[in-house]
């Protein structure tokens, strides 16, 4: 019994040793499987991505400020359509009418009308040379001013004037300078003296010959007016100085955060979506500010004309917002689809199945790729990266891309990748061929 007890005790000790050894192995494997903690690294990556996302909308505004005041052709193309806007034309006509009526001494003016011109003038005024004379003359002057504002001559004057005063507008928005555009009393104004001169000439041609004695009139047409213009100009100046460097800084910060992150693909998706959200908030802010701006216009400023000017001046800014949002969403979607996620894999499987079905149909129709198929199959990875690089290059070389341009480039790249996948798919073995 002593020997059996000894054997039994030895077996029990060995069993305990085995269990302890297994427990240690399990603990070591658990520690090995547990991912290392990188709290500081993850925190720094998150901070970099966050700062980059916050700078993204400011970068859009900085690019707009630099391009709008630095590219004369772009500025002219922005404001040129305003000459055909009915509200702007009516506002210019009203301003020109007020300026001319303030210089008209009606009794003396009509007394100086030549007898030969009185019938024609009386007809133009609707036969009212006595009662309601001022209203008749104002209506007459306004009609002539409206004709000038709606003419091709006005569009030419408007375009040429804005081209000449582009540098002055730059100075006005940055708080200095003079010329045809000035910033005074929180207003950006444009001298429409040439329009008044054309209205005077039309009045003379219509029979109001003494109008030619009206001295040169310089009156202002308000392009923008707000109590906040004086404050905003400081920030516009700072953003103009930042120029195109701020977008580069924002991209670099987001890229650095992604590279520093432990899970880079997830960080890239989150960073791009955050950029899209913050930039989209800028677009919403532009809409909200438009409402407040129009509601607080001073008396005498045409709301329709002010809205047209605001929409024209912020057109490229809103376009920039859509470009950044579209680009961020496209990159985030591409990063997600190329990841190991379940749903991403499902989408890729559907993609491959669809292309395989098309390839099978082509094979049954007798279409063959010849030597192109093996070549594409061999260098498929390189071809894919070349296509991506070409898409990026096209975007970078596009003068002023829009959101639709980004979507169009993405769709063209997707089509090129589909063709590559189609050519790289192996042909099934031929059946029934002798």
């Amino acid at each position: 019994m002593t020997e059996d007890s000894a054997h039994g005790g030895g077996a029990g000790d060995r069993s305990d040793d085995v269990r302890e050894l297994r427990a240690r192995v399990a603990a070591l494997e658990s520690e090995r499987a547990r991912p290392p903690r990188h709290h500081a690294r993850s925190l720094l990556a998150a901070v970099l991505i966050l700062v980059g996302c916050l700078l993204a909308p400011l970068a859009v505004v900085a690019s707009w400020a630099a391009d709008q005041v630095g590219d004369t052709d772009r500025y002219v193309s922005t404001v040129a359509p305003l000459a055909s806007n009915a509200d702007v034309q009516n506002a210019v006509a009203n301003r020109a009418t007020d300026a001319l009526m303030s210089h008209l001494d009606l009794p003396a003016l009509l007394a100086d009308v030549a007898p030969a011109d009185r019938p024609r003038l009386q007809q133009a005024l609707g036969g009212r040379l006595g009662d309601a004379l001022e209203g008749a003359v104002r209506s007459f002057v306004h009609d002539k001013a409206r004709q000038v504002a709606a003419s091709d001559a006005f569009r030419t004057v408007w375009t040429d004037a804005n081209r000449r005063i582009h540098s002055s507008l730059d100075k006005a928005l940055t708080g200095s300078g003079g010329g045809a555009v000035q910033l005074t009393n929180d207003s950006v104004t444009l001298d429409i003296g040439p329009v008044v001169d054309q209205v005077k000439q039309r009045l003379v041609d219509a029979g109001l010959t003494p109008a030619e004695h009206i001295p040169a009139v310089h009156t202002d047409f308000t392009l923008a007016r707000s109590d906040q213009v004086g404050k905003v100009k400081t920030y516009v100046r700072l953003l103009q100085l930042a120029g195109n460097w701020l977008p580069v800084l924002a991209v670099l910060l987001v890229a650095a955060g992604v590279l520093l992150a432990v899970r880079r693909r997830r960080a890239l998706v989150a960073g791009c979506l955050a950029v899209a959200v913050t930039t989209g908030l800028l677009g919403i802010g532009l809409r909200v500010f438009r409402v407040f701006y129009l509601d607080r216009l001073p008396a005498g400023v045409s709301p329709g004309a002010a809205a047209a000017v605001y929409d024209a001046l912020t057109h490229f800014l809103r376009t920039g917002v859509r470009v950044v949002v579209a680009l961020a969403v496209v990159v985030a979607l591409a990063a997600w689809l190329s990841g190991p996620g379940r749903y991403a894999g499902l989408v890729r499987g559907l993609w491959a199945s669809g292309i395989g079905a098309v390839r099978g149909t082509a094979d049954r129709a007798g279409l063959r790729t010849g030597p192109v198929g093996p070549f594409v199959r061999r260098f498929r990875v390189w071809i894919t990266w070349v296509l991506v690089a070409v898409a990026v290059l096209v975007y970078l070389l596009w003068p002023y891309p829009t959101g639709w341009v980004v979507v169009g480039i993405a769709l063209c790249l997707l089509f090129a990748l589909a063709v590559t996948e189609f050519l790289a798919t192996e042909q099934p073995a031929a059946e029934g061929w002798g």
Side-chain angles (χ1 to χ4, degrees):
M1 291 183 64
T2 303
E3 184 177 356
D4 293 338
S5 300
H7 285 297
D13 292 341
R14 285 193 298 272
S15 178
D16 291 340
D17 292 339
V18 170
R19 283 196 296 270
E20 183 179 357
L21 181 60
R22 288 177 177 175
R24 290 182 179 180
V25 171
L28 291 175
E29 290 181 349
S30 177
E31 292 179 0
R32 185 177 181 182
R34 186 181 302 130
R37 296 179 179 179
H38 301 282
H39 294 301
R41 177 179 173 182
S42 299
L43 178 61
L44 180 58
V47 170
L48 290 175
I49 294 176
L50 178 61
V51 174
C53 294
L54 294 178
L55 287 180
L58 293 178
V60 175
V61 178
S63 297
W64 167 80
D67 290 341
Q68 197 70 24
V69 300
D71 191 332
T72 302
D73 292 334
R74 192 178 194 192
Y75 168 76
V76 171
S77 66
T78 299
V79 299
L82 289 174
S84 301
N85 184 274
D87 291 319
V88 173
Q89 291 176 354
N90 196 53
V92 170
N94 291 339
R95 193 71 189 92
T97 301
D98 292 339
L100 287 171
M101 290 299 295
S102 65
H103 288 78
L104 287 176
D105 183 0
L106 296 181
L109 187 64
L110 294 178
D112 293 338
V113 175
D117 292 332
R118 290 184 69 87
R120 187 156 57 102
L121 178 59
Q122 185 173 1
Q123 182 180 4
L125 295 178
R128 293 175 293 181
L129 289 181
D131 297 336
L133 177 61
E134 183 176 356
V137 173
R138 171 175 285 275
S139 178
F140 176 63
V141 173
H142 186 271
D143 288 343
K144 298 304 176 185
R146 193 66 178 81
Q147 291 174 11
V148 171
S151 65
D152 293 336
F154 171 68
R155 285 189 285 272
T156 302
V157 169
W158 178 272
T159 302
D160 293 343
N162 277 284
R163 183 175 295 278
R164 289 195 303 270
I165 66 177
H166 176 256
S167 60
S168 298
L169 180 61
D170 175 17
K171 296 176 183 178
L173 291 177
T174 56
S176 63
V181 172
Q182 298 183 9
L183 179 60
T184 56
N185 298 325
D186 292 327
S187 298
V188 181
T189 58
L190 171 65
D191 183 11
I192 58 172
V195 176
V196 177
D197 290 338
Q198 291 192 22
V199 178
K200 286 166 52 180
Q201 185 59 47
R202 294 211 176 196
L203 293 176
V204 173
D205 295 340
L208 196 62
T209 52
E212 63 184 355
H213 300 299
I214 298 176
V217 178
H218 294 280
T219 186
D220 295 331
F221 174 73
T222 301
L223 291 175
R225 186 170 185 176
S226 172
D227 295 337
Q228 303 298 321
V229 171
K231 299 177 182 178
V232 170
K233 67 180 183 181
T234 303
Y235 302 107
V236 172
R237 178 59 175 168
L238 293 176
L239 290 174
Q240 181 195 11
L241 293 176
N244 293 323
W245 290 107
L246 197 56
V248 174
L249 178 61
V251 172
L252 290 178
L253 287 174
V254 174
V258 170
L259 293 176
L260 193 61
V262 177
R263 299 180 177 180
R264 295 177 179 175
R265 193 185 307 275
R266 181 177 297 181
L268 178 59
V269 173
C272 289
L273 293 180
V275 168
V277 170
T278 54
T279 309
L281 290 177
L282 171 62
I284 296 175
L286 290 174
R287 292 293 183 181
V288 174
F289 180 77
R290 182 182 187 272
V291 175
F292 282 102
Y293 170 70
L294 296 179
D295 285 343
R296 298 184 180 182
L297 286 175
V301 178
S302 169
V309 172
Y310 178 88
D311 292 340
L313 292 179
T314 59
H315 171 71
F316 286 111
L317 180 56
R318 289 180 280 115
T319 299
V321 169
R322 289 191 287 266
V323 167
V324 174
V325 171
L327 185 62
V329 171
V330 167
V331 174
L333 187 61
W336 175 75
L337 288 175
S338 61
R342 174 185 175 184
Y343 294 105
L346 177 62
V347 173
R348 292 197 302 269
L350 293 175
W351 164 273
S353 299
I355 294 178
V358 174
R359 180 59 187 269
T361 302
D363 288 333
R364 288 190 295 272
L367 299 178
R368 297 292 182 266
T369 61
V372 177
F375 175 82
V376 174
R377 191 159 49 248
R378 180 180 179 184
F379 298 101
R380 176 165 50 184
V381 175
W382 286 99
I383 293 174
T384 300
W385 282 110
V386 167
L387 292 175
V388 173
V390 169
V392 173
L393 186 63
V394 169
Y395 170 77
L396 294 177
L397 294 180
W398 201 283
Y400 294 109
T402 64
W404 288 114
V405 169
V406 174
V407 173
I409 293 175
L411 292 178
C412 290
L413 175 61
L414 196 64
F415 176 77
L417 293 176
V419 173
T420 302
E421 186 70 20
F422 173 83
L423 295 175
T425 302
E426 294 188 17
Q427 297 180 193
E431 296 181 1
W433 291 81

